[in-house]
C-alpha cells in the first residue's frame, strides 16, 4: 500500500464512523432546534439503546433486524420521557431542563451499571469481520452498512420534516412556539414527538454500532461529547450542519488518530469543540439559554 | 449657551439587512423632559440601546456631558449617570422589591444597610412602599413599571431614559404615575422619554423628536410636531396629511 | 435576619458536627464524614458560582483536579511543604478558574453553553493528566506516607475531620458575608437578569470573574485536601465527572443559593448513599441512580431543596404551637 492509499483509507474510515456520529448528532440537534434545550441525557439514552440491542442479540435477534422495532420502542420511550418527566418537571425553566436531563443521565447510566456491571461486552456476529475489497483498501462490511443506513435515515428524516403534517408542525414549533400554539398545534405533543425522534435516531445508531463496538454503561458518553462538538460545529439546531459536521469530525478524528495516536486524537476533538464555542459564537447566541 | 447634556450625532445601527437607526441626531438639554416618539418599529428602543451602551452604534457619535461615550460599556455609562428603563420590564424576579432597588442603590454606596435604607426611601417616592418585601415576580404590571423607575432612580442618574413606562397602564394609573415623573425633574434629573401615550407627551415634554423608519423626521414643541404633515403621514400612511387637511377644510 | 442569627446558626451547626467524632469512634463513619465534608467544600464552590451567580458549571472537576494535582505534584516533585502546597494548589485552582471564566464569559457563553464548555475543559484536563508523565500518567501520583503534623498527616482521622470542618465553617461564614455584601447583591442580580444588572451599573463580567475565581479556589482546596487525606490521585479521581456531579447535587438537593444548602445536601447524600447500600447491598451505581432520581424530584417538586423544606416545616411547627 502506498502512503496515499493509507491516507485514502483513513479518510474513508473517517467517513464511515462520521456517518454514525452524524446520526447521533442529528438527534441532538433536532431536539435543540425544536425544544431549545441541550439534552444531557443523550449519551445515557445511547448507552441504554446499545444494551437493548445487546439483549436482543442475546435473544437471537440480529442487530440489523432489531433496528426498526428498537427505533419504534425508543421513539415511545423518548416521547414518554419528554411528555411525562422533562416537560412537567422543568416548569418551563431552561436551567431546570439542564439539571433534569443531567439527572436523567445519572439515573439511566447508573441503573445500567447496577443491572449489567461495568463489564465491557461485545457481540459476535457472523459478518463481523467481512470486508469489501475496494482495491486500495478493505472496508469492514458493518461499517459500510452503518454508513448506508445513516444516510438513509437522514433522507427519511428530511422527508418526514419536509413533507408530512407532523414534520411541518415540528418546523413551525421550532420557528415560533407561541405562533404555532395559537395556530392550534399541540406544542407539548410536538416536543415529545421531537424528543422521541431523537431517541429513535439513537436506537438506530446503537444497532449500527453494536457489531463493531463494545457495550458498557458509559459507552454513550464518548459518543455524545463528540456529538456535542458536531452540533456546535454545524450550528446548533441545523440538521444539514450536523450531517456535514459529523462527516468532518469523523475524518478529522481518523486522520489525527493516524498521525498522533488514539488518545490524543480524542483530545483534538475537545480542543476543536472549545475553540468553536469560544471563537465562533455567531449562531450560538440565537437562542441564549 | 451651555453645552447639551446629551448629543447624539448621525448615529446609525444596522441589524443585518435592516437599518434600524439611520443617521439620527438629537440633543437633550439639561433639565426638563425631552420626548422621542414614532410609529412601532421606528427604532426608538434601538436608539436608547445605543445611548445606554447595550448595542454598539454602526456609526455616529454619542456625547454625554461633553465626553464621547460610544465606546463605553453599559455599566460605565450607568456610573456616569445614564440610567434606563426597559420597555419590556426586566425585574430581578427572585428578589424582593427592596432588594431590586438596592442593586441600583449600591452604585453609590458600599454598605448594605445604607443601600437597603435608600431603597426604602425610593420605594416610597414611586409609591411602592407597601410592597417593599413582596417578591418582584408577583407584582402587577403597574407596580413593575414603578419598580423599573425606582431601580433606575436609585442609581442617582443625571439622564434618565424612559422607554414606554406608561404603556400597558390604564388611564387612572397613568394619572397617578405622571406626578412621580414630574417630581424627578424637580429633583434636577433630565429625562428623555419614549412614549406612545400622546396626552402624556403633550403635557410632559418641552421638546419632541420624531423618529420614523430609523430617521429623525421632525422636532419641535409637541404642538409643532403634531401639526407636521410628515409626522402625520409617518403614523397614518402616505396621503393622510392631505386627507386630514382637506377634511378639515370641508368641515371648517 | 439579625447579624447574630445570620452567623450564629453556622457556629451552632459547626459545634454540633464537631462533637460527632467524640460520640462515634468508628473509622468507617469518620471516613464517610470526612469525604462528605470534602464534597461539601467543593459544593460550596459550585454553589457560589451557580446557586448565587446563576452560571451552571458541569465541570467543577477542572478546579478540584487542579487543586488535587497541584498539591500532589508540588509535594512529590518539588519537595514543597504540605501546608504551602495546599495553599498554592488553591491559588492554582483560582487561576484555572480565571482562565476558563475569562475565555467563556468574554465570549458571552451562558446557560447550556457554559455548562458544555466547563465539561469539555474538565475532559481535556483528564485526558492530558492521564497521558503525561508529569502527572504520573495513568498510574497517578502517590504522596509518601510520613505521619507528622508538619506534613499535614495525622494518625487520627478525627483530626482530618475537625480541620475540614473548620475550613467548611470558615467558608460558610465567608458565604454569609458575601450574601450581605454589595458583591453578593450584584452576583444575585447577574443571576436574575444580566441586562438589568448592567443597566444599574453592575460590571457583569467582573462580577462573574470574581465569582468563578473564588468558586474555583474553594473547590480546588477541596481537591487539595482530598489528596492530603487519601495521599493518592489519578486522572479519573481528580478530573472525573463524579466530582462535577457531586459538587452540584449537594447544593441542589440541600438548597440552591443558600449557605447551608451544600452542607445539608452533601450530608444527606452520603447518608442516603449508605442507606441505599445497606438496603440494596453493594450494587454498583445504585446510590448514584437514587441521587439522580432525587435530583429530578427536587427540581420538579421542591425547587428550594432541603433547606426550603426545613424552613417550611419550621414555619408550620411555629404556626401550630399555641401562642
Ligand atoms: N437585536 C435586534 N436584531 C435584529 N433586529 C432588531 C433588533 N432590535 C430591533 N430590531 C429591529 O429594529 C427595528 C426597530 O426596532 P425598535 O425596537 O428600536 O423599534 P421601536 O421604535 O422601539 O418600536 P416599538 O414602538 O414597537 O417599541 C425593528 O424592525 C426591529 O425588528
Ligand atoms: Mg420600543
Amino acid at each position: 500500500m502506498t502512503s496515499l492509499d493509507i491516507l485514502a483509507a483513513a479518510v474513508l474510515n473517517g467517513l464511515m464512523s462520521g456517518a454514525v456520529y452524524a446520526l447521533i448528532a442529528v438527534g441532538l440537534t433536532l431536539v435543540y432546534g425544536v425544544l431549545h434545550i441541550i439534552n444531557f441525557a443523550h449519551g445515557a439514552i445511547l448507552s441504554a439503546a446499545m444494551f437493548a440491542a445487546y439483549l436482543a442479540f442475546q435473544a437471537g435477534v440480529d442487530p440489523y433486524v432489531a433496528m426498526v422495532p428498537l427505533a419504534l420502542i425508543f421513539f415511545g420511550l423518548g416521547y414518554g420521557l419528554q411528555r411525562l418527566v422533562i416537560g412537567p418537571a422543568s416548569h418551563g425553566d431552561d436551567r431546570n431542563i439542564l439539571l433534569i436531563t443531567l439527572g436523567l443521565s445519572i439515573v439511566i447510566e447508573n441503573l445500567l451499571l447496577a443491572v449489567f456491571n461495568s463489564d465491557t461486552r461485545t457481540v459476535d456476529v457472523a459478518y463481523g469481520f467481512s470486508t469489501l475489497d475496494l482495491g486500495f483498501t478493505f472496508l469492514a462490511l458493518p461499517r459500510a452498512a452503518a454508513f448506508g443506513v445513516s444516510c438513509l435515515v437522514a433522507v427519511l428524516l428530511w422527508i418526514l420534516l419536509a413533507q408530512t403534517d407532523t414534520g411541518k408542525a415540528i418546523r413551525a414549533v421550532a420557528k415560533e412556539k407561541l405562533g404555532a400554539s395559537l395556530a392550534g398545534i399541540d406544542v407539548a405533543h410536538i416536543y415529545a414527538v421531537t424528543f422521541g425522534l431523537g431517541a429513535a435516531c439513537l436506537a438506530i445508531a446503537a444497532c449500527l454500532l453494536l457489531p463493531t463496538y463494545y457495550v458498557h454503561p458509559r459507552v454513550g458518553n464518548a459518543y455524545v461529547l463528540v456529538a456535542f462538538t458536531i452540533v456546535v460545529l454545524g450550528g446548533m439546531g441545523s440538521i444539514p450542519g450536523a450531517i456535514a459536521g459529523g462527516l468532518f469530525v469523523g475524518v478529522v478524528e481518523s486522520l489525527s488518530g493516524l498521525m498522533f495516536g488514539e488518545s490524543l486524537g480524542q483530545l483534538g476533538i475537545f480542543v476543536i469543540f472549545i475553540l468553536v464555542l469560544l471563537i465562533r459564537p455567531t449562531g450560538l447566541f440565537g437562542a441564549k439559554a | 449657551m451651555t453645552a447639551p447634556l446629551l448629543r447624539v450625532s448621525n448615529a446609525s445601527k444596522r441589524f443585518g439587512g435592516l437599518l434600524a437607526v439611520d443617521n439620527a441626531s438629537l440633543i437633550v438639554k439639561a433639565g426638563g423632559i425631552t420626548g422621542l416618539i414614532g410609529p412601532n418599529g421606528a427604532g426608538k428602543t434601538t436608539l436608547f440601546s445605543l445611548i445606554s451602551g447595550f448595542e454598539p452604534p454602526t456609526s455616529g457619535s454619542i456625547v454625554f456631558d461633553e465626553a464621547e461615550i460610544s465606546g463605553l460599556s453599559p455599566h460605565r455609562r450607568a456610573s456616569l449617570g445614564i440610567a434606563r428603563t426597559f420597555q419590556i420590564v426586566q425585574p430581578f424576579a427572585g428578589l424582593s422589591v427592596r432588594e431590586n432597588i438596592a442593586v441600583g442603590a449600591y452604585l453609590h454606596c458600599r454598605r448594605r444597610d445604607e443601600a437597603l435604607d435608600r431603597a426604602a426611601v425610593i420605594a416610597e417616592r414611586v409609591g411602592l412602599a407597601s410592597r417593599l418585601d413582596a417578591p418582584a415576580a408577583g407584582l402587577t404590571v403597574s407596580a413593575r413599571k414603578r419598580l423599573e423607575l425606582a431601580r433606575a432612580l436609585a442609581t442617582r442618574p443625571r439622564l434618565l431614559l424612559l422607554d414606554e413606562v406608561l404603556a400597558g397602564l390604564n388611564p387612572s394609573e397613568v394619572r397617578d404615575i405622571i406626578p412621580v415623573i414630574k417630581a424627578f425633574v424637580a429633583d434636577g434629573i433630565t429625562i428623555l422619554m419614549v412614549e406612545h401615550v400622546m396626552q402624556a407627551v403633550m403635557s410632559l415634554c418641552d421638546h419632541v423628536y420624531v423618529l420614523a423608519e430609523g430617521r429623525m423626521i421632525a422636532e419641535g414643541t409637541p404642538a409643532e410636531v403634531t401639526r407636521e404633515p410628515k409626522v402625520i403621514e409617518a403614523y397614518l400612511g402616505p396621503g393622510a396629511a392631505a386627507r386630514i387637511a382637506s377634511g378639515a377644510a370641508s368641515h371648517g | 435576619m439579625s447579624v447574630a442569627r445570620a452567623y450564629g446558626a453556622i457556629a451552632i451547626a459547626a459545634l454540633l458536627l464537631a462533637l460527632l467524632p467524640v460520640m462515634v469512634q468508628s473509622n468507617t463513619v469518620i471516613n464517610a464524614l470526612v469525604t462528605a465534608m470534602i464534597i461539601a467544600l467543593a459544593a460550596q464552590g459550585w454553589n457560589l458560582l451557580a446557586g448565587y451567580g446563576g452560571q451552571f458549571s458541569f465541570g467543577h472537576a477542572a478546579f478540584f483536579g487542579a487543586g488535587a494535582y497541584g498539591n500532589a505534584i508540588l509535594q512529590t516533585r518539588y519537595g514543597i511543604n504540605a501546608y504551602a502546597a495546599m495553599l498554592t494548589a488553591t491559588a492554582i485552582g483560582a487561576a484555572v478558574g480565571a482562565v476558563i471564566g475569562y475565555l467563556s464569559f468574554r465570549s458571552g457563553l451562558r446557560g447550556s453553553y457554559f455548562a458544555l464548555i466547563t465539561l469539555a475543559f474538565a475532559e481535556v484536563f483528564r485526558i492530558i493528566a492521564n497521558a503525561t508523565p508529569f502527572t504520573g500518567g495513568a498510574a497517578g501520583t502517590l504522596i509518601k506516607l510520613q505521619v507528622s503534623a508538619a506534613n499535614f498527616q495525622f494518625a487520627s482521622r478525627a483530626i482530618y475531620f475537625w480541620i475540614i470542618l473548620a475550613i467548611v465553617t470558615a467558608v460558610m461564614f465567608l458565604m454569609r458575608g458575601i450574601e450581605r455584601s454589595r458583591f453578593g447583591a450584584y452576583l444575585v442580580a447577574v443571576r436574575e437578569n444580566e441586562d438589568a444588572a448592567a443597566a444599574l451599573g453592575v460590571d457583569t463580567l467582573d462580577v462573574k470573574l470574581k465569582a468563578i475565581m473564588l468558586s474555583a479556589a474553594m473547590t480546588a482546596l477541596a481537591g487539595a485536601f482530598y489528596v492530603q487525606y487519601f495521599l493518592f490521585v489519578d486522572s479519573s479521581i481528580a478530573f472525573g465527572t463524579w466530582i462535577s456531579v457531586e459538587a452540584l447535587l449537594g447544593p441542589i438537593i440541600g438548597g440552591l443559593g443558600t449557605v447551608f444548602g451544600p452542607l445539608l445536601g452533601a450530608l444527606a447524600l452520603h447518608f442516603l448513599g449508605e442507606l441505599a447500600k445497606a438496603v440494596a447491598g453493594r450494587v454498583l451505581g445504585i446510590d448514584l441512580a437514587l441521587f439522580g432520581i432525587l435530583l429530578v424530584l427536587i427540581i420538579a417538586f421542591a425547587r428550594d431543596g432541603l433547606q426550603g423544606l426545613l424552613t417550611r416545616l419550621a414555619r408550620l411547627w411555629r404556626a401550630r404551637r399555641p401562642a
Side-chain angles (χ1 to χ4, degrees):
Chain A
M1 269 204 309
T2 68
S3 63
L4 204 64
D5 283 348
I6 296 177
L7 204 64
V11 169
L12 191 68
N13 262 311
L15 286 175
M16 299 298 117
S17 35
V20 182
Y21 288 161
L23 187 56
I24 297 167
V26 162
L28 198 60
T29 212
L30 186 65
V31 170
Y32 182 84
V34 179
L35 284 76
H36 302 292
I37 60 167
I38 291 184
N39 175 17
F40 277 94
H42 208 63
I45 298 175
L46 178 61
S47 304
M50 287 189 73
F51 272 103
Y54 175 80
L55 288 182
F57 180 80
Q58 296 289 307
V61 185
D62 186 89
Y64 294 121
V65 179
M67 192 145 56
V68 172
L70 277 182
L72 290 175
I73 292 172
F74 270 78
F75 174 84
L77 286 177
Y79 186 99
L81 213 52
Q82 165 62 28
R83 190 95 204 225
L84 303 175
V85 181
I86 302 175
S90 63
H91 311 291
D93 179 298
D94 283 345
R95 282 182 199 143
N96 288 352
I97 297 178
L98 202 66
L99 295 174
I100 287 195
T101 58
L102 179 73
L104 285 175
S105 81
I106 297 172
V107 174
I108 297 171
E109 203 176 282
N110 287 287
L111 283 182
L112 290 175
L113 207 57
V115 176
F116 297 101
N117 290 320
S118 62
D119 303 341
T120 299
R121 298 150 199 253
T122 51
V123 300
D124 270 319
V125 284
Y127 47 81
F129 294 99
S130 317
T131 53
L132 291 171
D133 188 353
L134 298 180
F136 63 95
T137 184
F138 293 93
L139 183 60
L141 203 58
R143 290 168 63 82
F147 182 81
V149 174
S150 296
C151 294
L152 182 69
V153 171
V155 171
L156 287 176
L157 207 58
W158 182 77
I159 293 174
L160 177 95
L161 286 176
Q163 305 293 324
T164 67
D165 284 348
T166 309
K168 283 174 193 156
I170 289 176
R171 286 187 299 146
V173 172
K175 256 215 193 88
E176 183 42 75
K177 179 172 94 179
L178 190 67
S181 77
L182 289 176
I185 295 174
D186 181 353
V187 173
H189 170 71
I190 292 299
Y191 273 8
V193 168
T194 309
F195 207 89
L197 285 176
C201 287
L202 290 177
I204 296 169
C207 294
L208 295 175
L209 287 172
L210 192 66
T212 56
Y213 211 69
Y214 62 87
V215 190
H216 181 273
R218 297 220 165 89
V219 65
N221 288 346
Y223 279 96
V224 162
L225 280 165
V226 177
F228 278 144
T229 312
I230 293 164
V231 167
V232 171
L233 202 64
M236 306 286 295
S238 154
I239 291 180
I243 294 171
L247 296 174
F248 174 75
V249 166
V251 172
V252 166
E253 185 192 40
S254 167
L255 288 180
S256 57
L258 188 70
M259 285 182 270
F260 310 114
E262 193 68 39
S263 77
L264 289 181
Q266 213 191 353
L267 194 64
I269 290 181
F270 285 116
V271 172
I272 292 178
F273 177 61
I274 290 174
L275 289 181
V276 170
L277 265 180
L278 292 177
I279 295 168
R280 226 214 72 195
T282 39
L284 296 180
F285 291 140
K288 281 178 201 161
Chain B
M1 209 186 98
T2 57
L5 184 60
L6 175 75
R7 180 197 293 275
V8 177
S9 315
N10 309 100
S12 296
K13 178 68 194 179
R14 179 179 288 283
F15 291 117
L18 175 82
L19 204 50
V21 175
D22 183 0
N23 212 25
S25 302
L26 67 74
I27 284 176
V28 177
K29 283 197 228 127
I33 303 182
T34 304
L36 176 61
I37 64 172
N40 287 110
K44 306 179 294 291
T45 299
T46 306
L47 188 54
F48 266 25
S49 295
L50 299 184
I51 300 170
S52 55
F54 281 83
E55 298 279 1
T58 309
S59 62
S61 96
I62 299 162
V63 174
F64 178 70
D65 196 19
E66 299 185 65
E68 175 67 44
I69 58 165
S70 53
L72 300 183
S73 52
H75 72 270
R76 286 283 300 130
R77 299 190 204 197
S79 45
L80 287 178
I82 300 178
R84 74 172 290 185
T85 65
F86 291 91
Q87 181 176 358
I88 300 164
V89 292
Q90 312 272 355
F92 302 124
L95 306 186
S96 71
V97 166
R98 186 182 207 148
E99 289 165 333
N100 263 270
I101 305 173
V103 174
Y106 270 122
L107 187 57
H108 292 290
C109 63
R110 253 187 169 281
R111 292 172 48 92
R112 178 166 181 262
D113 41 5
E114 221 178 300
L116 290 176
D117 288 347
R118 232 180 103 63
V121 171
I122 288 168
E124 177 83 51
R125 285 192 58 184
V126 301
L128 279 175
S130 62
R131 313 300 314 270
L132 209 51
D133 293 313
L139 296 180
T140 61
V141 175
S142 115
R144 281 168 189 235
K145 298 270 184 174
R146 287 167 191 268
L147 183 57
E148 283 282 316
L149 280 177
R151 280 194 322 200
L153 189 62
T155 64
R156 294 197 199 148
R158 293 162 64 200
L159 174 66
L160 181 52
L161 308 173
L162 301 179
D163 198 348
E164 302 201 20
V165 278
L166 304 180
L169 302 187
N170 66 37
S172 85
E173 288 166 339
V174 169
R175 213 177 322 114
D176 290 343
I177 215 164
I178 280 181
V180 175
I181 296 173
K182 280 189 171 153
F184 292 177
V185 180
D187 271 5
I189 297 171
T190 305
I191 292 178
L192 174 61
M193 72 187 304
V194 167
E195 203 44 74
H196 278 305
V197 180
M198 278 315 274
Q199 258 171 300
V201 174
M202 302 294 268
S203 75
L204 283 171
C205 300
D206 321 310
H207 198 82
V208 177
Y209 285 86
V210 186
L211 199 62
E213 291 175 0
R215 281 188 293 276
M216 211 56 94
I217 57 166
E219 66 163 303
T221 64
E224 281 164 11
V225 299
T226 44
R227 280 199 302 270
E228 184 80 35
K230 270 193 287 185
V231 175
I232 298 171
E233 291 192 0
Y235 273 94
L236 302 176
R243 281 200 305 279
I244 289 174
S246 66
S250 60
H251 286 291
Chain C
M1 201 176 354
S2 72
V3 179
R5 268 189 68 186
Y7 292 95
I10 300 172
I12 292 171
L15 285 177
L16 288 178
L17 282 172
L19 292 178
L20 280 177
V22 184
M23 295 187 293
V24 216
Q25 257 111 33
S26 141
N27 257 343
T28 13
V29 173
I30 297 181
N31 205 25
L33 281 174
V34 173
T35 318
M37 295 309 278
I38 292 174
I39 302 290
L41 181 57
Q44 285 288 359
W46 186 86
N47 192 40
L48 172 63
L49 184 63
Y52 289 91
Q55 313 300 314
F56 280 51
S57 149
F58 280 8
H60 254 51
F63 312 134
F64 186 86
Y69 271 116
N71 185 20
I73 290 173
L74 284 171
Q75 289 188 52
T76 53
R77 287 197 175 257
Y78 301 103
I80 290 173
N81 170 274
Y83 293 88
M86 285 174 75
L87 277 181
T88 315
T90 307
I92 292 173
V96 171
V99 171
I100 294 180
Y102 185 79
L103 291 175
S104 351
F105 296 141
R106 244 350 253 256
S107 318
L109 297 180
R110 39 174 128 168
S112 318
Y113 300 103
F114 181 67
L116 270 177
I117 202 157
T118 48
L119 186 79
F121 269 112
E123 267 310 282
V124 166
F125 292 164
R126 191 183 60 75
I127 295 172
I128 293 175
N130 196 46
T132 45
F134 182 67
T135 53
T141 297
L142 265 167
I143 295 181
K144 208 155 88 202
L145 179 70
Q146 278 174 314
V147 177
S148 136
N151 294 334
F152 205 118
Q153 292 187 23
F154 309 97
S156 148
R157 283 167 199 264
I159 303 215
Y160 286 101
F161 175 72
W162 283 317
I163 293 173
I164 184 78
L165 177 63
I167 296 174
V168 169
T169 309
V171 164
M172 284 170 74
F173 273 106
L174 176 68
M175 291 306 302
R176 189 65 95 200
I178 287 175
E179 253 185 0
R180 302 165 68 85
S181 72
R182 173 163 82 170
F183 171 63
Y186 278 2
L187 190 56
V188 171
V190 165
R191 172 188 75 199
E192 295 291 320
N193 191 323
E194 269 189 50
D195 280 349
L200 299 177
V202 179
D203 184 347
T204 55
L205 179 63
D206 181 68
V207 167
K208 286 192 281 187
L209 279 180
K210 282 182 182 146
I212 197 173
M213 283 175 69
L214 207 52
S215 164
M218 291 175 189
T219 305
L221 180 56
F225 192 93
Y226 183 99
V227 170
Q228 201 58 38
Y229 184 65
F230 291 103
L231 299 177
F232 173 70
V233 61
D234 69 13
S235 65
S236 57
I237 292 173
F239 294 117
T241 34
W242 74 278
I243 184 67
S244 296
V245 167
E246 296 231 7
L248 68 84
L249 276 175
I252 292 169
I253 285 168
L256 205 56
T258 64
V259 171
F260 277 98
L263 179 64
L264 273 175
L267 288 173
L269 283 178
H270 265 262
F271 178 73
L272 201 75
E274 295 305 319
L275 200 71
K277 278 180 203 153
V279 173
R282 300 207 77 88
V283 181
L284 215 59
I286 198 77
D287 47 347
L288 275 171
L290 209 66
F291 296 170
I293 293 173
L294 199 62
L295 171 65
V296 174
L297 287 178
I298 291 263
I299 289 167
F301 301 111
R303 212 33 239 282
D304 44 2
L306 285 177
Q307 153 113 11
L309 216 64
L310 289 180
T311 334
R312 262 177 283 160
L313 282 178
R315 213 174 292 145
L316 220 83
W317 185 68
R318 244 176 270 143
R320 285 183 56 187
R321 215 167 33 169

